[in-house]
């Protein structure tokens, strides 16, 4: 099936099988390997992207469902190779170790901050509940997001 | 992790969706995909065709009628229910939806998908039974309404037959509701749950203990535990709980849900 | 140009100079990871690559009677397959660490003749796309003759138990008796003998978010494989794969860059890597393998499940512990991949943190129809330290003594360090009582009685528990001889190469395979302190590549050692480079001795007249491109390779005596739980973690791993378990059923740190990162405190707590 998917502002026209998951379309067809696969039951959130302004797990969407949609991935966050305040906060607060969950965490945090610029600690945890991390224990990630909250 | 080949259709109306479902034996409706896509990844089920209900306005919307009845479109997401002013007419809806999984799942998962998949550990089937919801099912012959009690037929099985679609759910007015669960971690899968509604007498619907929600009634919240025990349940045994432990939890959670409902 | 290599026994420790060491320098790794520009193995692509999918056994135990791949191979786009029969023809069985009977098992990289656990790879299919490989695998026909499955290790040696490996003539893989001190005397002196019939440490692992994977290319002309992978111990993989494939180790080039977590669970992917190698050669195209979550749970690196039976503890009435005897039964699963090393590695911490001298442990390891076990964070020490902590708390309960007092009475004292344990391990340093005091302060221990009363008022049970553990690091591989005296392994090593490039760039290559531990940053800190430059001037290459020739036999990142092995190699190489820079400058300045020179400001100058300055760029340029006129005997390359070798002896195999690890970091954790007695559901409401890993090069990086280990331990204590049904089916094969902690599950956490430098390491550092499972021990103790019931299992989900409460009331 022919689809046109806009990712980080660029429109891509591709022919895809209906069964192809959006995460595989991003990683394999578009070479946007920043979003990751960490599980096979939709639990880990490493594949999280923003889809028409809404945070979703791209492993539970088909590429064909993204036809005509606007998708934002981690590669689209930084401008001109400069880290955003959120990304810098992750660095300052040591909110990543292996970095595998990090793109998903950044997208979830980005979605949260767009909706709520001053989230409480509990609201941050709730917003990150769909993103599994095995390295950090989450404390530094929550702290990093808190630090950029207004 | 990788799906079998499947066809994909995106109908422009409910009527078109029904035609597609009726014409193709192996067609399944795709709602939020938060259950179905995972089922397909595991290859536990592999429909021949997915009929995508996204974008069908007829299936969306939350309306509050003058008499307090809420009508919720089947494709309404959990996030929409959580954020809806109208849905506050029955606060338990948003409260329970807010505890389902995580924000990514809530942004795509739908009330229709939750009740139609009827996984015994789901939150909404027992809730719908407790609050006396009524489901509207559309098919080639038109629409029919089914009470929640009659909607859930078996594990993954509901009154929605081949070639039919759940279109909306009608929820009567009310505020005296409660919900209690023991879950696998915060906002996790339910090990056992109970939904209660008080309207004179107490109605409690138990989830996780049988193929479908089990309804018990009692005069008072204090009487609920006996009613649960009298129901002679044989809950499933699995890695998270033995049958005996689930049985015990059912009685405790039913009482708590009823007590919560009684004091609201 | 020749490389200089020098191998020197570790010199006496020196103070890390003021400067970068000890600072929480922001990580160099982060920028690319935050931008989604990391390179994890599934990100690597090659033109024409084929995607591999494994057909896996649906049975826990069965004969394979027929395999037919023809239908799969007939599909257009399927490039080929590999079966066990081919593997048996092309490779030798993997080398076995064990002595008999485990030595006799024949382990190939695909099942040969028989399957022994659900999920065992049987056939490999390679196709043009991921989906096609998956589809084609369903067309592979495999006929099985099911056999009864053995899932309980306690039944493994019954006369009627199903036997997994006929070559071993039974399920016993390895057994050994460890005995030190004088147990008869200890038990005679005891006022009491506390008996504990059964303790059980459960099966789980660290489920790194990225699963295993590889992309393997084969160069036909030179017979060389390039293995892009996330295996975290390439030294071990090479030693296993080379002999199996009957090729020299230099034919196996391992390349890793970013790895999404390891925790020990990425050590034993070598069977799958062999399959990829054979297929890359057979099909003449690159072969890509991605392990899916379910595959990982079914087949990879479960942690050791271990029982401790018939424990007897000799105690005095005042709580002094004299000694213990116990029988440890270890469930290795279907294959010995890194086992039975678990049978000796626990002995690094034989007495735990305690002063008892009379110890006997009878260790037996058996095979069962479950996933093969291999190292999991805390590997084998965690199980043993959980045991010692349970003993402390159970003894305290029996004697009606305060667990804090019993610990303090029996802890090895700071003034006793370095302390030789009953089996000759030398604990380098540590102040256990001091750490416990700090942990109790952080948890506000004084307030616990009031909190307990308040909890009771609203119908909850509050409990507090301590977990004290050691993270022994930098293995002496000579301990493998206690498992099998014929093995020729001993000591340890790690390599670093530091060079000054033609334009003065400082470039560091390591033999390590970091999975988030911040090697690029901490190595840069050590280099910058020695070369007196900025960390920004030091470029540490990401990951590992055999072609850099900056690795040795034990290279990799595992077993809590980088701060000792890796950083000591970096220190050694940088000191060599610093000496060479001075030698070169001395010659260039016309014969100035090294003592008169100093490194500063990105170059080298004469101390007395600093205007005589040669920037690093000039040094690099001279040696690399402008070297005419240099003295003939000037022995300088500015490319310095150093192999760090920790000071070890081969252990005494007879007495099972000797130092098995170089450093012993300490963790003391306290957990407070609140239990809902009606349901058994509970929460951790407060938590303190105090850590001592000697000198910390980057305190923030250390603390990060302390936190991560805490979260994993909490997960294992409450929810995480690999549980099987009686037919050998894994009941928790994915993240839906195997629940790991999410953000909302985390308790408030207070951390504290002590620094007891190690007298045995060049930088005073100790390896850290595994955390010893302290959280598991603390949660068990807290549950025991809250319920009044004796906790005998490491895994306490809500149902078990509810049962404990029933027991306590009975």
């Amino acid at each position: 099936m022919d689809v046109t998917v806009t990712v980080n502002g660029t429109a891509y026209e591709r022919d895809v099988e209906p069964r192809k998951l959006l995460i595989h379309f991003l990683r394999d067809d578009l070479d946007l390997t920043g979003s990751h696969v960490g599980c096979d039951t939709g639990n880990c959130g490493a594949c999280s992207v923003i889809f028409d302004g809404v945070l979703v797990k791209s492993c539970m969407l088909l590429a064909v469902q993204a036809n005509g949609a606007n998708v934002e991935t981690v590669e689209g966050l930084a401008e001109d190779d400069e880290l955003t305040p959120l990304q810098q906060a992750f660095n300052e607060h040591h909110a990543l170790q292996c970095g595998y969950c990090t793109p998903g965490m950044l997208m979830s945090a980005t979605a949260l901050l767009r909706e709520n610029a001053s989230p409480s600690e509990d609201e941050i945890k709730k917003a990150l509940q769909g993103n599994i991390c095995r390295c950090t224990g989450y404390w530094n990630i929550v702290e990093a997001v808190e630090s950029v909250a207004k | 992790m990788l799906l079998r080949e499947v066809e994909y259709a995106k109908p422009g109306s409910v009527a078109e969706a029904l035609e597609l479902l009726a014409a193709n034996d192996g067609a399944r409706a795709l709602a939020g995909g938060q259950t179905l896509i995972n089922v397909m990844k595991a290859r536990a089920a592999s429909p021949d065709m997915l009929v995508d209900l996204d974008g069908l306005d007829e299936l969306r919307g939350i309306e509050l009628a003058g008499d307090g009845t809420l009508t919720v479109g089947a494709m309404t997401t959990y996030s929409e229910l959580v954020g809806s002013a109208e849905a506050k007419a029955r606060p338990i809806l948003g409260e329970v939806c807010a505890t389902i999984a995580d924000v990514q799942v809530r942004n795509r998962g739908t009330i229709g998908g939750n009740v139609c998949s009827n996984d015994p550990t789901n939150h909404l089937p027992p809730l719908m039974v407790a609050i006396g919801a009524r489901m509207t099912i559309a098919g080639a012959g038109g629409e029919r309404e089914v009470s929640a009690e009659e909607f859930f037929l078996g594990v993954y099985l509901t009154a929605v037959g081949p070639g039919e679609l759940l279109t909306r759910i009608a929820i009567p007015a009310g505020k005296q509701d409660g919900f209690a669960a023991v879950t696998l971690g915060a906002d996790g899968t339910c090990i056992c749950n109970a939904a209660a509604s008080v309207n004179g007498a107490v109605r409690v619907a138990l989830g996780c203990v049988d193929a479908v929600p089990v309804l018990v009634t009692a005069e008072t919240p204090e009487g609920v535990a006996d009613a649960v025990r009298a129901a002679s349940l044989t809950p499933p045994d699995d890695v998270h709980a033995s049958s005996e432990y689930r049985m015990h939890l059912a009685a405790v959670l039913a009482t708590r849900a009823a007590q919560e409902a009684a004091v609201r | 140009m020749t490389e200089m290599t020098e191998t020197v026994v570790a010199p006496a420790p020196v103070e890390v100079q003021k400067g970068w060491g000890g600072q929480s320098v922001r990580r160099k790794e982060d920028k690319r990871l935050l931008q989604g520009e990391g390179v994890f193995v599934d990100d690597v692509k090659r033109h024409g690559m084929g995607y591999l999918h494994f057909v896996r056994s649906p049975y826990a135990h069965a004969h394979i009677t027929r395999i037919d791949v023809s239908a799969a191979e007939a599909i257009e786009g399927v490039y080929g397959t590999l079966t066990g029969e081919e593997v048996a023809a092309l490779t030798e069985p993997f080398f076995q660490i064990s002595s008999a009977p485990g030595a006799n098992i024949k382990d190939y990289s695909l099942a040969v003749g028989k399957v022994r656990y659900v999920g065992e790879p049987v056939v490999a299919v390679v196709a043009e796309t991921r989906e096609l490989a998956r589809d084609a695998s369903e067309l592979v026909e495999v006929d099985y003759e099911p056999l009864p499955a053995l899932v309980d290790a306690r039944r493994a040696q019954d006369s009627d138990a199903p036997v997994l490996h006929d070559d071993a003539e039974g399920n016993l893989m390895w057994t050994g008796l460890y005995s030190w001190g004088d147990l008869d005397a200890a038990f005679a002196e005891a006022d009491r003998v506390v008996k504990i019939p059964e303790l059980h440490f459960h099966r789980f692992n660290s489920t790194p978010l990225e699963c295993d994977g590889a992309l393997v290319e084969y160069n036909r002309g030179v017979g060389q494989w390039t293995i892009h992978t996330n295996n975290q111990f390439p030294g071990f993989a090479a030693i296993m794969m080379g002999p199996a494939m009957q090729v020299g180790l230099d034919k196996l080039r391992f390349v890793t860059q970013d790895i999404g977590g390891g925790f020990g669970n990425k050590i034993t992917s070598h069977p799958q890597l062999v399959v990829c190698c054979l297929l890359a050669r057979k099909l003449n195209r690159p072969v890509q393998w991605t392990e899916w979550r379910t595959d990982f749970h079914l087949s990879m690196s479960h942690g050791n499940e271990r029982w401790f039976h018939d424990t007897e503890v000799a105690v005095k009435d005042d709580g002094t512990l004299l000694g213990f005897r116990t029988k440890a039964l270890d469930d290795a699963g279907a294959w010995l991949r890194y086992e039975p090393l678990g049978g000796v590695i626990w002995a690094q911490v034989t007495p735990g943190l305690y002063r008892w001298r009379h110890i006997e442990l009878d260790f037996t390891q058996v095979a069962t129809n479950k996933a093969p076990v291999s190292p999991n964070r805390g590997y084998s020490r965690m199980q043993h330290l959980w045991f010692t902590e349970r003993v402390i708390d159970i003894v305290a309960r029996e004697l009606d003594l305060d667990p804090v007092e019993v610990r303090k009475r029996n802890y090895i004292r700071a003034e006793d360090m370095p302390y030789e344990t009953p089996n000759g391990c030398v604990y380098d340093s540590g102040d256990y009582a001091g750490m416990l005091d700090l942990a109790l302060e952080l948890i506000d221990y004084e307030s616990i009685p009031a909190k307990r009363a308040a909890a009771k008022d609203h119908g909850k049970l509050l409990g507090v528990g301590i977990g004290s553990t050691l993270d022994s690091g930098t293995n002496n591989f000579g301990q493998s001889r206690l498992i099998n005296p014929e093995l020729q392994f001993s000591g340890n090593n790690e390599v670093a190469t530091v060079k000054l490039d033609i334009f003065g760039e400082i470039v560091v290559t390591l033999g390590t395979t970091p999975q988030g531990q911040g090697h690029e940053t901490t190595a840069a800190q050590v280099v910058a302190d020695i070369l007196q430059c900025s960390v920004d001037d030091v470029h540490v290459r990401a990951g590992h590549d055999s072609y850099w020739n900056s690795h040795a036999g034990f290279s990799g990142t595992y077993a809590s050692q980088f701060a000792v092995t890796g950083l000591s190699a970096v220190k050694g190489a940088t000191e060599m480079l610093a000496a060479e820079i001075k030698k070169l400058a001395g010659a260039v300045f016309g014969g100035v001795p090294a003592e008169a020179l100093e490194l500063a400001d990105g170059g080298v100058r004469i101390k007395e007249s600093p205007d005589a300055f040669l920037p690093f760029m000039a040094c690099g340029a001279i040696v690399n491109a402008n070297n005419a006129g240099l003295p003939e005997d000037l022995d300088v390359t500015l490319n310095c390779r150093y192999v760090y070798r920790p000071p070890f002896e081969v252990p005494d195999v007879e007495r099972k005596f000797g130092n098995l690890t170089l450093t012993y970091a300490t963790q003391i954790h306290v957990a407070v739980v609140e239990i809902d007695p009606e349901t058994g559901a509970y929460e951790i409401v407060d938590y303190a973690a105090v850590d001592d890993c000697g000198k910390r090069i980057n305190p923030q990086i250390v603390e990060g791993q302390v936190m991560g280990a805490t979260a994993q331990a909490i997960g294992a204590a409450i929810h995480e378990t690999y549980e099987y049904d009686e037919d050998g089916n894994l009941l928790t094969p994915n993240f839906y059923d195997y629940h790991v902690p999410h953000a909302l599950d985390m308790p408030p956490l207070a951390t504290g740190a002590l620094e007891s430098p190690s007298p045995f390491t060049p930088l005073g550092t100790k390896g850290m990162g595994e955390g010893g499972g302290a959280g598991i021990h603390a949660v068990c103790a807290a549950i025991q405190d809250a319920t009044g019931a004796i906790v005998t299992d490491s895994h306490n989900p809500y149902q078990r707590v509810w049962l404990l409460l029933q027991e306590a009331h009975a």
Side-chain angles (χ1 to χ4, degrees), chain B:
Chain B
M1 185 66 192
L2 300 160
L3 278 56
R4 289 206 182 97
E5 278 180 9
V6 67
E7 281 177 62
Y8 172 84
K10 192 146 190 243
S13 67
V14 170
E16 199 188 323
L18 290 171
E19 271 169 39
L20 284 162
L21 289 168
N24 298 281
D25 249 352
R28 278 282 293 267
L30 174 63
Q34 304 303 280
T35 298
L36 183 55
I37 301 284
N38 290 329
V39 166
M40 294 174 73
K41 281 177 196 168
R43 300 196 174 196
S46 299
D48 298 318
M49 174 191 281
L50 290 173
V51 178
D52 190 354
L53 305 179
D54 196 50
L56 293 178
D57 291 332
E58 300 153 79
L59 299 178
R60 303 208 98 98
I62 304 171
E63 281 167 30
L64 182 58
D67 65 353
T69 304
L70 265 176
T71 304
V72 182
M75 283 295 284
T76 305
T77 66
Y78 310 133
S79 286
E80 283 166 348
L81 277 163
V82 171
S84 155
E86 288 81 7
K88 300 247 181 310
R90 195 99 203 206
I92 195 74
L93 281 175
E95 286 163 12
V96 169
C97 284
T99 67
I100 296 178
D102 52 64
V103 67
Q104 292 96 319
V105 169
R106 294 194 288 273
N107 285 341
R108 293 286 308 172
T110 64
I111 185 170
N114 193 297
V115 302
C116 288
S117 62
N118 195 23
D119 183 306
T121 64
N122 280 1
H123 298 66
L124 299 186
L127 183 60
M128 295 297 108
V129 170
I131 64 181
R134 302 193 63 80
M135 281 65 168
T136 298
I137 300 171
E143 285 188 346
R144 58 198 176 87
E145 220 192 24
V146 172
S147 72
E149 278 175 70
E150 290 165 343
F151 182 81
F152 302 102
L153 300 179
V155 178
Y156 314 140
L157 201 60
T158 68
V160 179
E164 295 189 314
L165 274 177
L166 173 72
T167 56
R168 58 187 180 276
I169 300 175
I171 291 158
K175 284 198 191 315
Q176 292 211 268
D177 305 314
F179 190 90
V182 171
T183 59
L184 210 53
D187 291 356
T189 308
C190 295
I191 296 173
C192 194
N193 62 29
S197 190
V198 169
N199 195 352
V202 181
R203 281 167 73 87
V204 179
L206 305 166
C208 307
V209 295
D210 205 339
V212 299
V214 174
L215 180 63
V216 301
T217 55
E219 291 294 309
T220 63
E222 290 64 42
V224 166
D226 282 337
V228 170
R229 282 187 274 270
S232 300
L233 303 167
T234 48
D237 235 340
D238 65 23
V239 66
H240 303 304
S242 67
S243 180
E244 197 202 337
Y245 180 56
R246 261 199 183 88
M247 186 63 241
H248 169 78
L249 288 179
V252 172
L253 295 172
T255 305
R256 289 184 182 179
Q259 286 168 339
E260 181 190 321
V263 300
R264 288 186 80 148

Side-chain angles (χ1 to χ4, degrees), chain A residues 19 27-28 31 33-34 38-40 43 74 81 87 91-92 94 97-98 106 129 132 134-135 137-139, chain C residues 27 30-31 34-35 42-43 45 130 135 206-207 293-294 515-516 700 704 708 712 720 741-742 744 747:
Chain A
R19 62 162 156 178
R27 290 182 52 77
D28 296 342
D31 290 327
T33 55
C39 78
D40 50 17
N43 290 102
V74 65
D81 209 41
Q87 288 168 319
N91 174 245
E92 275 159 31
H94 190 39
Q97 291 179 32
C98 80
L106 287 169
Q129 180 67 356
I132 292 175
R134 297 259 63 193
C135 293
Y138 309 100
W139 289 281
Chain C
R27 294 194 340 161
D30 285 2
K31 184 161 189 287
L34 288 163
Q35 292 176 308
D42 195 74
D43 301 341
K45 297 169 187 188
R130 299 185 194 273
D135 291 344
S206 305
T207 66
R293 173 60 47 193
T294 301
Q515 320 104 36
Q700 193 181 44
Q712 286 193 347
E720 295 181 47
H742 295 234
L744 286 169

Side-chain angles (χ1 to χ4, degrees), chain C residues 661-684:
Chain C
T661 25
L662 191 64
T663 65
Y664 298 81
T666 317
Q667 305 79 42
I668 304 210
H669 291 206
V670 183
V672 181
V673 304
E674 197 176 81
I675 302 176
D676 176 354
E678 273 197 303
T679 61
Y682 65 100
E683 268 187 274
I684 300 180

Side-chain angles (χ1 to χ4, degrees), chain C residues 356-548:
Chain C
W356 38 16
R357 303 296 305 178
H358 311 285
I359 292 168
E360 185 176 282
L361 190 145
D362 188 341
F363 193 100
T364 298
Q365 188 173 69
V366 296
T368 61
N369 293 114
K370 297 181 186 173
V373 145
S374 58
N376 176 49
R377 195 175 199 173
Y379 184 40
S380 199
R381 294 99 80 217
M382 168 169 65
Q383 285 80 349
H384 186 73
L385 290 160
W386 176 80
F387 163 78
T388 61
E389 289 301 281
R390 285 285 78 227
V391 165
I392 299 306
D393 283 322
I394 292 171
V395 164
R397 190 178 181 280
E398 294 277 300
L399 271 50
D400 201 19
L401 294 171
D402 179 354
V404 172
E405 294 314 313
V406 177
R407 281 184 171 80
K408 285 195 174 173
R409 181 176 290 280
N410 289 283
Y411 273 161
I412 296 163
R413 293 166 298 223
E415 57 265 33
D416 298 331
M417 300 289 186
Y419 177 84
E420 187 180 86
T421 70
N423 60 309
C425 289
V426 182
Y427 290 177
D428 45 4
S429 61
D431 178 2
Y432 307 156
M435 286 176 75
L436 179 55
D437 283 337
L438 178 56
L440 294 174
E441 197 184 301
L442 289 172
I443 207 81
D444 195 7
Y445 192 64
E446 307 286 298
S447 71
I448 294 292
K451 286 177 176 154
R452 204 193 294 274
K456 195 160 178 232
D457 283 342
H458 57 263
K460 297 274 167 68
L461 298 173
L462 191 106
V464 63
I466 299 162
S468 37
T469 68
L470 296 172
D471 190 354
S472 45
T474 302
N475 285 0
N476 175 359
F477 280 96
Q479 65 201 268
S480 64
R481 301 190 194 199
L482 271 56
I483 296 292
N484 181 354
E486 298 189 11
L487 291 176
Q488 297 296 299
F489 300 116
S490 70
N492 202 332
N493 51 39
E494 191 49 270
V495 183
T497 303
V498 184
K499 67 172 179 174
L500 203 55
D501 230 341
I502 183 169
F503 291 138
E505 294 168 66
I506 303 162
V507 179
V508 181
T509 53
L510 304 167
T512 60
T513 53
Q515 320 104 36
Q517 297 94 333
H519 291 185
E520 289 160 53
T521 306
T522 51
Q525 288 176 256
V526 170
V527 173
D529 271 340
I530 295 169
L531 297 183
Q532 292 294 298
C533 61
S534 160
V535 285
D536 294 331
D537 297 328
V538 181
H539 171 60
V540 181
R541 289 208 201 138
H544 171 105
D545 188 333
S546 314
Y547 267 12
W548 297 338

